Amino acid sequence: SQKIEQNSEALNIQEGKTATLTCNYTNYSPAYLQWYRQDPGRGPVFLLLIRENEKEKRKERLKVTFDTTLKQSLFHITASQPADSATYLCALYQGGKLIFGQGTELSVKP
Amino acid sequence: SQTIHQWPATLVQPVGSPLSLECTVEGTSNPNLYWYRQAAGRGLQLLFYSVGIGQISSEVPQNLSASRPQDRQFILSSKKLLLSDSGFYLCACIRSQGDYGYTFGSGTRLTVV
């Protein structure tokens, strides 16, 4: 079955820099891949979906790329702010159900 | 857009006691509904999903069960809780915006002592 791997180590960056988070999957390339934000003690919030035929997608300061050859998606936050500090989860569909990576915690220091 | 209500927000229960967590959905009809559990520092594990009233699919063998008595109501239950049932329980449905994303409730933090 499909496995999703995200860097379990927290990412610490300085305000204003670009944060880059990685999501790798192991088997077949999904038709689309999603990214969520989760704050402590809260449910995840949907951010972006990227389809397999889209190389890149942008939404405000967010950019997601999808490389089906590398089986990898990258999630970028440009001009990061302390308010961007959260855990970011990637997810994809398997058998009609959404499965998630374990998430990467991002901490943006002022 | 849809909204998912979950309660209670926090629950501390002794081992062997029963459990009932409720999830209700507003803003959509006939939704697919999902129960996930998140252990501390871990990803989300899908427990159950339902495509309609009375239709429940279980993803992993466990001490829990689910029911869907009404279109927009999804209940997670246990007859006797185990320590390993502790976790953060989240209810979700597919967003109605057509982007295949999920909307999640605010979750229930369950601690079994």
Side-chain angles (χ1 to χ4, degrees), chain A residues 10-55:
Chain A
L11 179 63
N12 298 301
I13 64 168
Q14 204 66 32
E15 182 176 9
K17 302 292 186 184
T18 296
T20 299
L21 287 71
T22 304
C23 174
N24 296 294
Y25 55 92
T26 56
N27 294 342
Y28 60 88
S29 285
Y32 38 82
L33 189 145
Q34 304 178 19
W35 283 89
Y36 290 76
R37 170 184 171 139
Q38 185 175 23
D39 291 286
R42 311 285 295 181
V45 174
F46 175 79
L47 295 175
L48 277 172
L49 173 145
I50 185 167
R51 301 175 190 276
E52 62 178 339
N53 61 350
E54 296 175 316
K55 290 279 193 272

Side-chain angles (χ1 to χ4, degrees), chain A residues 88-102:
Chain A
Y88 292 87
L89 305 163
C90 71
L92 53 84
Y93 274 97
Q94 176 174 275
K97 289 145 290 189
L98 202 58
I99 59 172
F100 288 81
Q102 78 273 27

